[in-house]
Amino acid sequence: MIRKFGRLVPLIIVLIVSLIGFGILYVSNDGFDTAALQNMAALLVLILASYSLILFASFGDEYLFLIVSMIFAIGIISLLRLDETAAHNQVMFFYVGMVGFFVVYTVYRRLSIWNDPRIVRIYIALSVFLFVVTKAFGSEVYGAKNWIDLGPITIQPSEIIKILFILALSGLYTNYDIKTTKKARRRDAISQKRQLVIMCVAYLYIGFLLLQKEWGSALLYFLIYFTLQYVLGKGFKFLAINAVLAAGGAYVGMMKVSHIQERIAIWRDPFGYFDPDKSRQIVQTLYAMASGGITGTGLTLGSPRYIPLVKNDFIFAAICEEFGMVGGVAVIMLFMLFVYRGIRISLRATRPFNKAVSLGISAMFCYQTFIIIGGVIKFIPMTGITLPFISAGGSSLASCFVSLAILQAISSKEGELSDVI
Amino acid sequence: MGYLRFLSKGVISIQDLGILALVPRLFSIIFVLLIYIFIVRIIKMVSSDIAVMMKKKSSGNVGTYLKLLNIRSSLDFPISESYEIAADVKIGRDRTCEIRIDDPFLSSVHAEILCREDACYIHDLNSTNGTTLNGTPLRGDPIELINGDKISFGQLSFIYITDKSEKK
């Protein structure tokens, strides 16, 4: 028990890093008002308290929250540097997120209903309902009809639907286990018909996203489905069908959809693109990252405000400008560690449904981070996805915390005692 | 820039400002360095966890241990495939037990296994749901365990495996 105190050291590092960041910003801002200072202090205390709870009360894998708190600390400092109000909101969302985290953790852990076939139908029904509501009442922002404006707050339903998607697919893939005949337990008991049903459900979701012109999310959902199909499905037939459909879809998108054509053109030659308003985002990003160089310009010495939408999707560019390539690589490594932990949890789980869900969530974080960072560094065309835990945005943060809670719950349910290292 | 304004509130000449403008850069570098130290520490912690698990795996199941007979995925709580018995162990839900299992059908301190030089004995500690040895409920005094004995408490069943030679 005592030796566990040594495990607090990494969290202390997170706190020191946060204090240094706050310190620099304090000095450069000529100080903050007391409300902001109280907020920051409360944030650090909350992080310390939550981590201690997870560590000492054995709430499951301790590394998940540790990595997330470092990622979040970097995010908060970048956001504070960009926009104090946004940072304040982000901290508020963090409080709500942590409450939600413990609630979801407890609820998910206690009940075993999550893979019940009736509940799986509810997931799908709820998702369709949310999609329809978004289509009907949503407001169009930056070309995608993705937000619901509820007055003071705006929600991005696709963030909620992401989790329902993973839960629904996992349930469908592993539900044959509910019949406890010996035959049904064999992995290749999943039938062709079932895989076809799952494919239709997956494309239902993807179809809705394409209707909403959410190309990035559609790609993300497709990759998650493809991963689950690869791991949980039988045979290569469905993988081949999906690969062909994806290639076909991408081709049609490139030829027919002007929105996509635009983005690809900007990606191929941002500096020469005829409409500077559209290409400004990636151009400014490239300038910013170049001026950052390897070690960065230093916190507060860069000029990230030139980048459009820098608070949400392109915050990684701001991090690269001020903390340099080394800072950007550090963030990427943190996400890689996080995904590693997630996949490990999936390997150690014994119940197929939990295995599938934790795999789906790990895949979600993995692909999401890849797609957004890839878009920021012009590795792939830009998409409208958010960077988990760092991008400013209540819906994004909320869905990340809920996913984290589910992952944490699975890790604690299956315990430290599996044979997988 | 707010930072430089703060500095120039004192009596500082313009030449000095050049060097001092490096301070935020320096702090940023320390910031990033600390993040890397954090990453390295996590990797070290994870590796040491793996090393401990590998040691446990490679030392294998020699000596005396209890092997779980239930199917793990049907149970709602974390449990090991096997529990080594090196010395006297208590079995139960309480944190003080050496073999700690969170089974609601177990008492806080359910039973104990006492190990003497050449044999181990099982002793039910007045548990609520009782302990069964090869089908017979245990009462009172400790009973000697021999290789292959089946022990049940709550919903769990274990088989007792040992390489100790039997007392004849």
Side-chain angles (χ1 to χ4, degrees):
Chain A
M1 221 352 200
I2 301 291
R3 71 176 172 82
K4 266 193 173 172
F5 278 103
R7 309 213 132 199
L8 277 178
V9 172
L11 193 84
I12 308 282
I13 297 182
V14 175
L15 298 178
I16 296 177
V17 161
S18 309
L19 287 170
I20 291 183
F22 290 149
I24 300 175
L25 291 171
Y26 183 89
V27 164
S28 97
N29 250 9
D30 290 331
F32 293 115
D33 53 17
T34 33
L37 282 173
Q38 281 171 346
N39 240 348
M40 287 181 242
L43 176 70
L44 295 182
V45 167
L46 182 60
I47 290 181
L48 183 62
S50 306
Y51 179 68
S52 307
L53 185 61
I54 293 177
L55 183 64
F56 294 113
S58 297
F59 270 25
D61 193 307
E62 72 213 51
Y63 296 103
L64 284 179
F65 185 75
L66 194 55
I67 298 169
V68 165
S69 56
M70 180 54 111
I71 293 177
F72 185 78
I74 298 174
I76 258 294
I77 289 174
S78 312
L79 211 53
L80 194 58
R81 184 257 177 276
L82 291 169
D83 180 350
E84 237 181 274
T85 336
H88 176 84
N89 289 340
Q90 188 86 332
V91 173
M92 288 296 134
F93 286 129
F94 181 81
Y95 295 152
V96 173
M98 283 315 292
V99 169
F101 172 83
F102 285 112
V103 166
V104 172
Y105 170 84
T106 318
V107 167
Y108 188 88
R109 207 163 171 272
R110 294 270 153 164
L111 304 172
S112 296
I113 60 167
W114 308 111
N115 62 337
D116 190 313
R118 292 165 293 180
I119 304 281
V120 169
R121 279 182 221 134
I122 293 183
Y123 296 146
I124 302 179
L126 195 58
S127 311
V128 171
F129 171 72
L130 283 170
F131 273 126
V132 167
V133 164
T134 321
K135 196 87 180 98
F137 302 112
S139 12
E140 191 155 324
V141 172
Y142 297 109
K145 203 172 188 186
N146 191 28
W147 299 78
I148 299 184
D149 205 330
L150 289 180
I153 47 169
T154 51
I155 325 179
Q156 210 177 359
S158 80
E159 298 285 342
I160 309 172
I161 296 172
K162 248 187 333 206
I163 303 175
L164 294 174
F165 179 69
I166 294 175
L167 287 169
L169 283 193
S170 304
L172 288 170
Y173 271 115
T174 57
N175 260 346
Y176 65 88
D177 210 29
I178 298 224
K179 305 191 279 277
T180 50
T181 64
K182 283 213 176 86
K183 222 163 133 196
R185 275 193 184 278
R186 282 182 0 208
R187 237 199 101 221
D188 47 26
I190 189 168
S191 65
Q192 299 281 340
K193 178 172 156 227
R194 169 137 252 162
Q195 292 183 84
L196 189 63
V197 165
I198 295 175
M199 187 166 120
C200 292
V201 169
Y203 279 101
L204 176 70
Y205 280 80
I206 296 178
F208 269 114
L209 288 170
L210 293 175
L211 275 177
Q212 289 175 4
K213 299 200 207 142
E214 278 253 36
W215 319 119
S217 294
L219 178 64
L220 179 64
Y221 281 51
F222 174 78
L223 286 170
I224 296 175
Y225 162 60
F226 198 79
T227 307
L228 286 177
Q229 174 62 32
Y230 175 74
V231 173
L232 299 164
K234 180 191 170 191
F236 289 110
K237 187 162 97 170
F238 281 92
L239 292 175
I241 295 177
N242 278 309
V244 165
L245 278 175
Y251 182 76
V252 166
M254 277 201 287
M255 292 297 126
K256 294 296 179 71
V257 181
S258 61
H259 202 201
I260 297 183
Q261 282 172 327
E262 208 173 83
R263 292 217 179 144
I264 293 183
I266 295 175
W267 170 62
R268 292 173 87 183
D269 182 15
F271 297 101
Y273 192 70
F274 67 94
D275 187 354
D277 282 330
K278 297 250 169 81
S279 64
R280 177 162 300 133
Q281 196 172 33
I282 193 67
V283 166
Q284 286 296 340
T285 304
L286 293 172
Y287 285 152
M289 293 197 291
S291 71
I294 296 187
T295 52
T297 58
L299 192 58
T300 74
L301 294 180
S303 20
R305 297 222 174 94
Y306 286 117
I307 306 173
L309 273 181
V310 71
K311 283 183 300 221
N312 304 332
D313 304 342
F314 276 68
I315 196 164
F316 186 73
I319 293 176
C320 279
E321 178 177 12
E322 310 214 302
F323 299 115
M325 185 191 87
V326 288
V329 167
V331 169
I332 295 177
M333 285 175 79
L334 285 169
F335 277 108
M336 281 170 75
L337 277 176
F338 183 77
V339 172
Y340 154 70
R341 274 335 264 193
I343 294 182
R344 180 176 183 266
I345 289 171
S346 175
L347 286 170
R348 282 157 61 102
T350 48
R351 239 173 295 196
F353 178 68
N354 283 341
K355 270 175 119 74
V357 170
S358 45
L359 176 67
I361 294 180
S362 308
M364 174 190 91
F365 278 113
C366 170
Y367 295 127
Q368 190 169 342
T369 312
F370 178 83
I371 292 175
I372 177 62
I373 292 185
V376 168
I377 63 177
K378 206 178 86 79
F379 184 62
I380 55 176
M382 297 182 288
T383 53
I385 302 194
T386 55
L387 188 60
F389 297 110
I390 297 187
S391 284
S395 313
S396 162
L397 210 55
S399 89
C400 287
F401 273 113
V402 169
S403 316
L404 180 68
I406 296 177
L407 215 50
Q408 190 84 30
I410 294 176
S411 79
S412 87
K413 240 183 141 129
E414 313 290 348
E416 282 288 321
L417 308 165
S418 171
D419 300 325
V420 173
I421 58 172
Chain B
M1 217 174 311
Y3 181 77
L4 295 177
R5 248 189 301 135
F6 175 83
L7 289 178
S8 59
K9 276 180 190 151
V11 183
I12 301 177
S13 69
I14 312 257
Q15 283 94 332
D16 294 342
L17 276 179
I19 307 172
L20 287 167
L22 278 176
V23 175
R25 268 199 85 162
L26 191 66
F27 270 104
S28 297
I29 294 179
I30 295 179
F31 185 93
V32 175
L33 209 65
L34 281 174
I35 299 178
Y36 276 100
I37 293 178
F38 174 82
I39 293 176
V40 166
R41 274 212 81 108
I42 291 206
I43 294 179
K44 275 202 189 150
M45 276 161 75
V46 170
S47 315
S48 74
D49 281 348
I50 294 180
V52 163
M53 288 236 62
M54 293 243 61
K55 229 169 44 151
K56 275 196 204 158
K57 275 186 83 164
S58 63
S59 69
N61 282 315
V62 292
T64 309
Y65 61 100
L66 287 178
K67 188 160 166 53
L68 181 69
L69 292 173
N70 300 61
I71 297 173
R72 245 185 328 138
S73 58
S74 63
L75 299 171
D76 212 11
F77 41 85
I79 190 161
S80 265
E81 290 283 345
S82 62
Y83 290 95
E84 205 191 334
I85 303 175
D88 292 356
V89 293
K90 287 211 238 321
I91 304 168
R93 271 185 300 126
D94 197 80
R95 279 174 186 271
T96 59
C97 294
E98 286 82 7
I99 296 182
R100 201 195 136 225
I101 306 172
D102 232 335
D103 185 352
F105 292 106
L106 284 184
S107 306
S108 321
V109 186
H110 193 100
E112 61 180 350
I113 295 183
L114 305 163
C115 278
R116 300 291 165 256
E117 229 173 64
D118 42 8
C120 288
Y121 301 80
I122 184 157
H123 183 206
D124 178 88
L125 296 168
N126 290 320
S127 63
T128 323
N129 289 323
T131 309
T132 321
L133 177 62
N134 293 323
T136 342
L138 284 182
R139 300 210 191 297
D141 297 330
I143 307 250
E144 189 186 337
L145 286 167
I146 58 175
N147 191 26
D149 273 344
K150 192 168 150 203
I151 308 171
S152 301
F153 8 66
Q155 50 186 326
L156 303 168
S157 288
F158 290 94
I159 187 167
Y160 173 77
I161 299 185
T162 181
D163 53 6
K164 289 191 217 275
S165 57
E166 289 173 15
K167 220 164 53 169
K168 282 292 181 214

